[in-house]
C-alpha cells in the first residue's frame, strides 16, 4: 500500500492545487488516483486500516430526539421514519434509532451517550415535547398582557439555554449533525 499524502498535508495540497490552477475535473481525477493508491492499487480491496477513517466505506446515520423520529406508534402499521430512511439510503449504509417518543431536549444528551461505535452522522429532532409541557401557560389567568409576555419570555429563555447545552454536547462528538426544526405540537382546543 502506497500512501503518498502525509497526515495533516491534505489542506496544504488542496491549496497548492488551487494555486497551480487545477480545475475541478483534474482535482477529482487526482483525488481518485490518490484514493486508488491508498486502497492498494485498483481501488478494489478494503482500505488499509490505518487510513480507513479518511475514506469510510459505510456510513451510519443515527436519529436522536422524540416522536418525530420514533413514530411507529403513530403510523397505523405503515412505515415509520427509520424504515423510510433505511429504504432510501445507499447499499452498505446503516440507520439506527436512538430517539424515544416523549423525549425532551435534555434526553437527547443521554441518547448521544448511547451512540453505536460506528455512527458517522447524527440527526436531531427535539423540542416539541418541551413546548407541550409548557402549554399550561395558555390557560393561566393573568392580570395583563405584559405578565403573560414575561412568562413566555422566561419559558423561551430556559428552553433556549437547555437546547444550546444539548446541541453543544452533541456537536462536541465531532460528527456531521443535522438539526430539524421544532414542529407545531397538536394541542387540544
Amino acid at each position: 500500500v502506497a500512501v503518498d499524502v502525509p497526515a495533516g498535508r491534505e489542506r496544504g495540497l488542496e491549496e497548492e492545487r488551487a494555486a497551480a490552477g487545477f480545475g475541478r475535473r483534474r482535482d477529482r481525477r487526482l483525488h481518485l488516483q490518490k484514493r486508488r493508491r491508498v486502497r492498494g492499487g485498483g481501488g478494489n480491496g478494503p482500505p488499509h486500516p490505518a487510513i480507513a477513517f479518511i475514506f469510510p466505506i459505510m456510513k451510519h446515520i443515527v436519529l436522536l430526539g422524540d416522536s418525530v423520529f420514533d413514530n411507529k406508534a403513530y403510523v397505523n402499521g405503515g412505515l415509520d421514519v427509520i424504515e423510510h430512511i433505511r429504504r432510501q439510503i445507499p447499499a452498505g449504509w446503516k440507520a439506527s434509532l436512538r430517539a424515544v417518543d416523549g423525549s425532551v431536549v435534555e434526553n437527547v444528551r443521554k441518547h448521544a451517550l448511547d451512540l453505536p461505535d460506528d455512527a458517522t452522522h447524527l440527526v436531531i429532532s427535539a423540542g416539541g415535547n418541551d413546548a407541550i409541557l409548557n402549554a399550561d401557560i395558555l390557560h393561566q389567568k393573568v392580570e395583563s398582557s405584559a405578565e403573560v409576555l414575561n412568562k413566555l419570555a422566561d419559558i423561551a429563555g430556559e428552553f433556549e439555554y437547555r437546547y444550546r447545552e444539548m446541541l453543544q454536547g452533541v456537536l462536541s462528538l465531532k460528527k456531521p449533525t443535522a438539526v430539524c426544526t421544532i414542529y407545531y405540537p397538536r394541542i387540544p382546543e
Side-chain angles (χ1 to χ4, degrees):
V1 174
V3 178
D4 61 348
V5 180
R9 279 279 291 146
E10 190 64 22
R11 180 175 297 277
L13 288 175
E14 290 174 15
E15 292 169 0
E16 289 173 22
R17 286 185 198 135
F22 288 116
R24 282 188 174 176
R25 182 172 291 157
R26 180 159 169 84
D27 283 344
R28 177 74 178 144
R29 211 174 7 184
L30 288 173
H31 171 73
L32 292 174
Q33 288 171 355
K34 178 182 69 178
R35 189 170 185 166
R36 286 188 194 107
R37 284 193 301 271
V38 166
R39 286 180 161 230
N44 293 330
H48 187 278
I51 51 89
F53 68 93
I54 297 173
F55 301 109
I57 293 173
M58 181 182 58
K59 305 287 185 181
H60 189 164
I61 301 166
V62 181
L63 306 181
L64 306 170
D66 55 27
S67 63
V68 167
F69 294 144
D70 184 21
N71 69 332
K72 191 171 194 77
Y74 306 102
V75 294
N76 299 324
L79 294 178
D80 57 351
V81 169
I82 193 69
E83 285 306 315
H84 276 288
I85 290 173
R86 288 177 178 148
R87 290 177 179 216
Q88 295 296 315
I89 57 179
W93 284 43
K94 292 191 328 189
S96 295
L97 181 65
R98 290 297 187 268
V100 178
D101 184 9
S103 290
V104 293
V105 167
E106 284 134 3
N107 299 133
V108 176
R109 292 177 86 166
K110 294 174 190 157
H111 302 166
L113 296 175
D114 186 33
L115 291 178
D117 292 338
D118 61 345
T120 59
H121 294 77
L122 308 177
V123 184
I124 300 170
S125 176
N129 291 317
D130 296 78
I132 291 170
L133 291 173
N134 287 290
D136 63 324
I137 193 168
L138 301 174
H139 301 289
Q140 290 180 6
K141 300 286 185 203
V142 293
E143 297 294 319
S144 68
S145 56
E147 183 181 350
V148 74
L149 291 174
N150 284 332
K151 287 181 179 186
L152 284 171
D154 291 343
I155 290 169
E158 181 62 29
F159 173 77
E160 180 181 357
Y161 173 79
R162 288 193 316 263
Y163 199 91
R164 282 181 187 272
E165 289 290 309
M166 173 275 296
L167 195 53
Q168 287 173 349
V170 172
L171 293 175
S172 73
L173 300 172
K174 305 285 188 220
K175 297 184 186 303
T177 301
V179 180
C180 300
T181 60
I182 299 168
Y183 62 96
Y184 290 106
R186 295 179 65 185
I187 299 174
E189 306 228 1

